[in-house]
Every structure is written in structure tokens, then in C-alpha cells.
Coordinates of all heavy atoms in Angstrom, one line a residue:
E1 N 0.8 -1.2 0.0 CA 0.0 0.0 0.0 C 0.9 1.2 -0.1 O 0.6 2.3 -0.7 CB -0.9 0.0 1.2 CG -1.6 1.4 1.3 CD -2.7 1.7 0.3 OE1 -3.0 0.8 -0.6 OE2 -3.0 2.9 0.2
W2 N 1.9 1.2 0.7 CA 2.8 2.4 0.8 C 3.4 2.6 -0.7 O 3.5 3.8 -1.1 CB 4.0 2.3 1.8 CG 3.6 2.6 3.1 CD1 3.6 1.9 4.4 CD2 3.1 3.9 3.6 NE1 3.2 2.6 5.3 CE2 2.9 3.9 5.0 CE3 3.0 5.2 2.9 CZ2 2.4 5.0 5.8 CZ3 2.6 6.3 3.6 CH2 2.3 6.1 5.0
R3 N 3.8 1.5 -1.3 CA 4.4 1.7 -2.6 C 3.4 2.1 -3.7 O 3.7 2.9 -4.5 CB 5.0 0.3 -3.0 CG 6.1 0.0 -2.1 CD 7.1 -1.0 -2.7 NE 8.2 -1.5 -1.7 CZ 9.3 -0.8 -1.4 NH1 9.5 0.4 -2.0 NH2 10.1 -1.2 -0.6
A4 N 2.2 1.8 -3.5 CA 1.1 2.2 -4.4 C 0.7 3.8 -4.1 O 0.7 4.4 -5.1 CB -0.2 1.3 -4.1
R5 N 0.8 4.2 -2.8 CA 0.7 5.6 -2.6 C 1.8 6.4 -3.2 O 1.6 7.4 -3.8 CB 0.7 5.7 -1.1 CG -0.5 5.3 -0.4 CD -0.6 5.7 1.1 NE -1.6 5.1 2.0 CZ -1.7 5.2 3.2 NH1 -1.0 6.1 4.0 NH2 -2.7 4.6 3.8
L6 N 3.0 5.9 -3.1 CA 4.1 6.7 -3.7 C 4.0 6.8 -5.2 O 4.2 7.8 -5.9 CB 5.3 5.8 -3.4 CG 5.9 6.0 -1.8 CD1 7.0 4.9 -1.6 CD2 6.5 7.4 -1.6
Q7 N 3.5 5.7 -5.9 CA 3.3 5.7 -7.3 C 2.2 6.6 -7.7 O 2.3 7.2 -8.7 CB 3.0 4.3 -7.7 CG 4.2 3.3 -7.7 CD 3.9 1.8 -8.1 OE1 2.6 1.5 -8.5 NE2 4.8 1.0 -8.0
R8 N 1.2 6.7 -6.8 CA 0.1 7.7 -7.1 C 0.4 9.0 -6.9 O -0.5 10.0 -7.2 CB -1.2 7.3 -6.4 CG -1.8 5.9 -6.6 CD -3.2 5.8 -6.1 NE -3.2 5.9 -4.6 CZ -3.2 4.9 -3.8 NH1 -3.2 3.7 -4.2 NH2 -3.3 5.2 -2.4
G9 N 1.6 9.4 -6.3 CA 1.8 10.7 -5.9 C 1.1 11.1 -4.6 O 0.9 12.3 -4.3
D10 N 0.7 10.2 -3.7 CA 0.1 10.5 -2.5 C 1.1 10.8 -1.4 O 0.5 11.1 -0.2 CB -0.7 9.2 -2.1 CG -2.0 9.1 -3.0 OD1 -2.3 10.0 -3.7 OD2 -2.7 8.0 -2.8
V11 N 2.3 10.8 -1.5 CA 3.3 11.2 -0.5 C 4.1 12.3 -1.2 O 4.8 12.2 -2.3 CB 4.3 10.1 -0.1 CG1 5.3 10.6 0.9 CG2 3.5 8.8 0.3
I12 N 4.2 13.5 -0.6 CA 5.0 14.6 -1.1 C 5.8 15.3 0.0 O 5.6 15.0 1.3 CB 3.9 15.8 -1.6 CG1 3.0 16.2 -0.4 CG2 3.1 15.2 -2.7 CD1 2.0 17.3 -0.8
D13 N 6.8 16.1 -0.5 CA 7.6 16.9 0.5 C 6.9 18.2 0.8 O 6.0 18.5 0.3 CB 9.1 16.9 0.1 CG 9.1 17.8 -1.2 OD1 8.3 18.6 -1.6 OD2 10.2 17.5 -1.8
A14 N 7.7 19.0 1.6 CA 7.1 20.4 2.1 C 7.0 21.3 0.9 O 6.2 22.2 1.1 CB 8.0 20.9 3.3
L15 N 7.6 21.0 -0.1 CA 7.6 21.9 -1.4 C 6.5 21.4 -2.3 O 6.3 22.1 -3.3 CB 8.9 22.0 -2.1 CG 10.0 22.7 -1.1 CD1 11.4 22.6 -1.9 CD2 9.6 24.2 -0.8
G16 N 5.8 20.3 -2.0 CA 4.8 19.8 -2.8 C 5.3 19.0 -3.9 O 4.5 18.5 -4.8
Q17 N 6.6 18.5 -3.8 CA 7.1 17.6 -4.8 C 6.9 16.2 -4.4 O 7.0 15.8 -3.2 CB 8.7 17.9 -4.9 CG 9.0 19.3 -5.4 CD 8.4 19.7 -6.7 OE1 8.4 18.8 -7.6 NE2 7.7 20.8 -6.7
P18 N 6.6 15.3 -5.4 CA 6.1 13.9 -5.0 C 7.4 13.1 -4.4 O 8.5 13.4 -4.9 CB 5.8 13.2 -6.4 CG 5.5 14.5 -7.3 CD 6.4 15.6 -6.9
V19 N 7.3 12.4 -3.4 CA 8.3 11.4 -3.0 C 8.2 10.1 -3.8 O 7.1 9.5 -3.9 CB 8.0 11.1 -1.6 CG1 9.2 10.0 -1.0 CG2 8.2 12.5 -0.8
R20 N 9.3 9.8 -4.5 CA 9.2 8.6 -5.2 C 9.7 7.4 -4.4 O 10.2 7.4 -3.3 CB 10.2 8.7 -6.4 CG 10.0 9.9 -7.4 CD 10.9 9.9 -8.6 NE 12.4 9.8 -8.2 CZ 13.1 10.9 -7.9 NH1 12.5 12.1 -8.0 NH2 14.3 10.7 -7.5
D21 N 9.4 6.1 -5.0 CA 9.8 5.0 -4.3 C 11.2 4.8 -4.1 O 11.6 4.2 -3.0 CB 9.3 3.7 -5.2 CG 9.4 2.3 -4.5 OD1 8.7 2.2 -3.6 OD2 10.2 1.6 -5.0
D22 N 12.1 5.5 -4.9 CA 13.6 5.4 -4.6 C 14.2 6.6 -4.1 O 15.4 6.8 -4.1 CB 14.3 5.0 -6.0 CG 14.0 6.1 -7.0 OD1 13.1 6.9 -6.9 OD2 14.6 6.0 -8.1
S23 N 13.3 7.6 -3.6 CA 13.8 8.9 -3.1 C 14.7 8.6 -1.8 O 14.1 7.9 -0.8 CB 12.7 9.8 -2.6 OG 11.9 10.2 -3.7
P24 N 15.9 9.1 -1.9 CA 16.8 8.7 -0.6 C 16.3 9.5 0.6 O 15.7 10.5 0.6 CB 18.1 9.4 -1.1 CG 17.8 10.5 -2.1 CD 16.6 10.1 -2.8
Y25 N 16.8 8.8 1.7 CA 16.4 9.2 3.1 C 17.0 10.5 3.4 O 18.3 10.6 3.2 CB 16.6 8.1 4.1 CG 15.9 8.5 5.5 CD1 14.4 8.3 5.7 CD2 16.6 9.0 6.4 CE1 13.9 8.7 6.9 CE2 16.0 9.3 7.7 CZ 14.7 9.2 7.9 OH 14.2 9.5 9.1
A26 N 16.3 11.5 4.0 CA 16.9 12.8 4.3 C 16.3 13.1 5.7 O 15.1 13.6 5.9 CB 16.6 13.9 3.3
P27 N 17.1 13.0 6.9 CA 16.6 13.4 8.2 C 16.2 14.8 8.2 O 16.7 15.7 7.6 CB 17.8 13.1 9.1 CG 18.7 12.1 8.3 CD 18.4 12.3 6.8
H28 N 15.1 15.0 8.9 CA 14.5 16.4 9.3 C 13.6 16.9 8.2 O 13.1 17.9 8.1 CB 15.6 17.3 9.6 CG 16.5 16.9 10.7 ND1 16.1 16.4 11.8 CD2 17.9 16.6 10.7 CE1 17.2 16.1 12.7 NE2 18.3 16.1 11.8
L29 N 13.5 16.0 7.0 CA 12.6 16.4 5.8 C 11.2 16.3 6.3 O 10.8 15.2 7.1 CB 12.9 15.6 4.7 CG 12.0 15.9 3.5 CD1 12.3 17.2 3.0 CD2 12.2 14.8 2.5
K30 N 10.4 17.3 6.1 CA 9.0 17.2 6.4 C 8.2 16.6 5.4 O 8.3 17.0 4.1 CB 8.3 18.5 6.7 CG 6.9 18.5 7.1 CD 6.3 19.9 7.4 CE 6.8 20.4 8.6 NZ 6.3 21.8 9.1
I31 N 7.5 15.6 5.3 CA 6.7 15.0 4.3 C 5.2 14.8 4.8 O 4.8 14.9 5.9 CB 7.2 13.5 4.1 CG1 7.1 12.6 5.2 CG2 8.7 13.7 3.4 CD1 7.5 11.0 4.7
Y32 N 4.3 14.7 3.7 CA 2.9 14.7 3.9 C 2.4 13.4 3.2 O 2.9 13.2 2.1 CB 2.2 15.8 3.4 CG 2.6 17.1 4.1 CD1 3.7 18.0 3.6 CD2 1.8 17.7 5.1 CE1 3.9 19.1 4.2 CE2 2.2 19.0 5.7 CZ 3.2 19.6 5.2 OH 3.5 20.8 5.9
Y33 N 1.6 12.7 3.7 CA 1.0 11.7 3.1 C -0.6 11.6 3.2 O -1.2 11.7 4.2 CB 1.6 10.4 3.5 CG 1.5 10.0 5.0 CD1 0.3 9.5 5.5 CD2 2.5 10.6 5.8 CE1 0.4 9.1 6.9 CE2 2.3 10.3 7.2 CZ 1.3 9.7 7.7 OH 1.2 9.5 9.1
Y34 N -1.2 11.3 2.1 CA -2.6 11.2 2.0 C -3.1 9.9 2.2 O -2.5 8.9 1.8 CB -3.2 11.6 0.5 CG -3.0 13.1 0.2 CD1 -1.9 13.6 -0.3 CD2 -4.0 14.0 0.7 CE1 -1.6 14.9 -0.6 CE2 -3.8 15.4 0.4 CZ -2.5 15.8 -0.3 OH -2.5 17.2 -0.5
R35 N -4.2 9.7 3.1 CA -4.7 8.3 3.6 C -5.7 7.9 2.6 O -6.4 8.8 2.0 CB -5.1 8.4 5.0 CG -4.0 8.6 6.0 CD -4.6 9.1 7.4 NE -5.2 10.3 7.3 CZ -6.0 10.7 8.3 NH1 -6.4 10.0 9.3 NH2 -6.6 11.9 8.2
D36 N -6.0 6.7 2.6 CA -7.1 6.2 1.8 C -8.0 5.5 2.9 O -7.8 4.2 3.2 CB -6.6 5.0 0.9 CG -7.8 4.4 0.0 OD1 -8.9 5.1 -0.1 OD2 -7.6 3.4 -0.7
P37 N -8.9 6.2 3.5 CA -9.6 5.7 4.7 C -10.7 4.7 4.2 O -11.2 4.7 3.1 CB -10.3 7.0 5.3 CG -10.4 7.9 4.1 CD -9.3 7.7 3.2
P38 N -11.1 3.8 5.1 CA -12.1 2.9 4.8 C -13.6 3.5 4.7 O -13.7 4.7 5.2 CB -12.0 1.8 6.0 CG -11.4 2.7 7.2 CD -10.5 3.7 6.5

């Protein structure tokens, strides 16, 4: 599900840029993720 969210663009950084499946880890980076509630 996390990988599907990344592919859909449901995870972004503080500048609104999509986080990709291979985006390197960066401590202190603020990220946002959209949920798919039941």
C-alpha cells in the first residue's frame, strides 16, 4: 500500500514535490501523505 501511494503521488515533501519509491532518506525532511480511509 505504501508503494502504491508513492506511485500515485500520495506522498509529497514540504515543497509539494512527489516522493518517489527510490527517493533517498533525508533526516529532518517534512513529508505529507494522503490516507485512503475505509
Side-chain angles (χ1 to χ4, degrees):
E1 173 59 22
W2 276 119
R3 299 201 183 279
R5 291 184 187 183
L6 290 161
Q7 291 175 4
R8 294 195 302 263
D10 289 349
V11 183
I12 59 176
D13 64 21
L15 295 177
Q17 299 302 309
V19 175
R20 302 186 305 273
D21 189 64
D22 60 351
S23 293
Y25 189 80
H28 313 300
L29 178 69
K30 181 183 288 186
I31 62 170
Y32 298 86
Y33 54 92
Y34 291 90
R35 294 168 291 165
D36 187 15

